[in-house]
Amino acid sequence: MTTNHRIALIPGDGIGAEVLPPAQQVLDVLGRRHGFTLSYTSYDDWSCERYLREGAMMPADGIDQLRDKDAILLGAVGYPGVPDHVSLWGLLIPIRRSFRQYVNLRPIRVFEGIDSPVHGARPGEVDFVVVRENVEGEYSEVGGRLNSGFPDEIAVQEAVFTRAGVTRVLDYAFKLASERGGRLTSATKSNGIVHTMPFWDQLVAERGTSFPQVEWDQEHIDALAAKFVLEPARFDVVVASNLFGDILSDLAAAVAGSIGIAPAANLNPEREFPSMFEPVHGSAPDIAGQGIANPLGAIWSAAMMLDHLGHPAAAKDITEAIGSVLAKTDIRTRDLGGTATTAEFTDKLIELL
Ligand code: GGG
């Protein structure tokens, strides 16, 4: 019997709507080849436009509409006219939290054929994963504002680190490191942030004892950012809190040539709820509507989705085709120095699949 996977498609804003159709085209080719089907439900109007029209990024029962899906593929959120915290907390973050997607997995690879802006970031040598804690930490709704408009106006934002929340993401990262190169780096800032970060470091040391096969170290986030640029090939798995992981993975994507390539998986490792896959890039309003967005971040995210759904061979076909199109052709979208449109690039990739 052919396996069918129910996929929720949320294009979101800007180029989100332009990068999901290429990912869908690639998925359908792989489904035919590997003997599975994908049935899609599109949530086209869950966006900033909807927020401006109706006051909410998604309907009140939006989370329930997604609950029975096997996975969610998301494009991008954010658009001028809607504050970024409104769009993020109205769609992406509720999905991550409601479905306990506490791991945000962001692989970084310098592909053959890509000129990294960083001297020394050579293809084949830079290949690591950022594991970002995805549901607590610095992204917290605990806090508030007082005395708006007065000289003594104040804003307070509390970071929230729980033993359970940190432990589960560390365990995921240690296990991943044990299955990859056996090395883990923890991002910290325990010299300046005196409560949460020493707690994070303590839990890293505690969990490390359960993974003796993994060699681990920790770096302050400032030094780590410098090492991402100066020695990107030294990393295997990097584990970081929500904010640190977000910043580090954008930096790492730039080191790998373009944030347009970078994928992300928001995982509920226990599979109690659907996981969500999304390119790391945002909605890029400056190029939206021109048909020139790089679809690779979305296509690679689709590969991560297939891997999660139990089709590692199909996922590998996609990453190999990405490698081929970059190594064997000079077809590139504008972010990679080329002139190809989203459609031209996708057609070539599918030809090489
Ligand atoms: N494609 C994902 C997207 O639109 N991300 C926008 C963004 O700013 N995300 C912040 C985050 O991942 O925390």
Side-chain angles (χ1 to χ4, degrees):
M1 202 182 73
T2 309
T3 310
N4 180 58
H5 301 291
R6 293 154 301 175
I7 308 299
L9 292 176
I10 309 178
D13 299 301
I15 61 166
E18 298 170 43
V19 296
L20 282 203
Q24 214 179 328
Q25 272 177 272
V26 170
L27 284 169
D28 289 338
V29 171
L30 268 302
R32 286 193 289 277
R33 180 182 303 165
H34 288 269
F36 58 85
T37 56
L38 300 144
S39 53
Y40 302 100
T41 309
S42 286
Y43 300 89
D44 293 337
D45 84 327
W46 293 15
S47 62
C48 286
E49 232 173 278
R50 185 184 194 283
Y51 175 82
L52 290 172
R53 212 177 49 241
E54 302 187 28
M57 297 285 293
M58 63 176 161
D61 68 345
I63 295 296
D64 284 333
Q65 291 190 39
L66 300 174
R67 202 175 290 281
D68 67 342
K69 304 298 181 292
D70 297 311
I72 303 160
L73 194 56
L74 180 130
V77 284
Y79 220 69
V82 178
D84 288 338
H85 68 278
V86 170
S87 51
L88 206 62
W89 282 85
L91 186 63
L92 203 48
I93 292 184
I95 296 173
R96 288 177 180 165
R97 290 178 185 222
S98 303
F99 295 143
R100 299 180 85 96
Q101 296 166 350
Y102 60 84
V103 170
N104 190 315
L105 204 59
R106 296 185 166 190
I108 318 294
R109 207 176 294 170
V110 177
F111 284 96
E112 197 76 50
I114 292 289
D115 275 337
S116 165
V118 172
H119 173 73
R122 282 177 289 273
E125 293 179 14
V126 177
D127 182 354
F128 65 95
V129 182
V130 175
V131 176
R132 166 188 177 190
E133 199 293 317
N134 209 31
V135 293
E136 55 176 51
E138 306 87 346
Y139 279 42
S140 139
E141 58 268 74
V142 181
R145 285 168 79 155
L146 283 177
N147 305 330
S148 290
F150 290 102
D152 55 346
E153 186 167 1
I154 177 173
V156 176
Q157 177 93 42
E158 299 286 358
V160 175
F161 288 74
T162 65
R163 176 174 277 275
V166 177
T167 299
R168 65 190 176 185
V169 76
L170 292 179
D171 280 351
Y172 186 94
F174 270 112
K175 182 165 176 290
L176 183 64
S178 72
E179 293 160 358
R180 287 178 46 104
R183 284 175 294 119
L184 179 129
T185 303
S186 165
T188 185
K189 190 60 190 168
S190 45
N191 55 352
I193 299 176
V194 294
H195 299 301
T196 54
M197 281 294 135
F199 180 52
W200 173 280
D201 295 351
Q202 176 195 326
L203 294 177
V204 174
E206 276 180 31
R207 296 314 304 148
T209 60
S210 296
F211 297 89
Q213 68 279 37
V214 176
E215 194 185 306
W216 66 269
D217 61 0
Q218 62 188 46
E219 296 274 2
H220 291 305
I221 186 76
D222 43 342
L224 189 54
K227 283 180 186 165
F228 266 33
V229 174
L230 297 172
E231 305 172 62
R234 71 183 288 189
F235 298 104
D236 179 18
V237 175
V238 177
V239 66
S241 64
N242 208 333
L243 177 64
F244 288 177
D246 189 36
I247 297 169
L248 281 176
S249 50
D250 272 33
L251 172 62
V255 169
S258 167
I259 197 172
I261 301 177
N266 301 271
L267 297 177
N268 170 241
E270 292 76 22
R271 297 168 186 268
E272 294 165 303
F273 302 104
S275 291
M276 175 166 67
F277 301 82
E278 50 161 340
V280 169
H281 65 70
S283 58
D286 53 328
I287 59 159
Q290 298 177 39
I292 58 169
N294 188 341
L296 275 186
I299 292 172
W300 194 355
S301 301
M304 295 180 84
M305 182 176 86
L306 288 185
D307 197 36
H308 179 76
L309 292 173
H311 302 290
K316 193 156 174 268
D317 283 359
I318 299 182
T319 47
E320 283 178 358
I322 294 174
S324 295
V325 78
L326 295 173
K328 295 184 186 153
T329 81
D330 56 5
I331 297 195
R332 304 278 185 274
T333 44
R334 207 172 71 177
D335 56 308
L336 292 173
T339 55
T341 62
T342 310
E344 286 163 351
F345 190 86
T346 307
D347 288 348
K348 180 49 85 177
L349 186 130
I350 290 176
E351 189 187 311
L352 293 172
L353 251 180

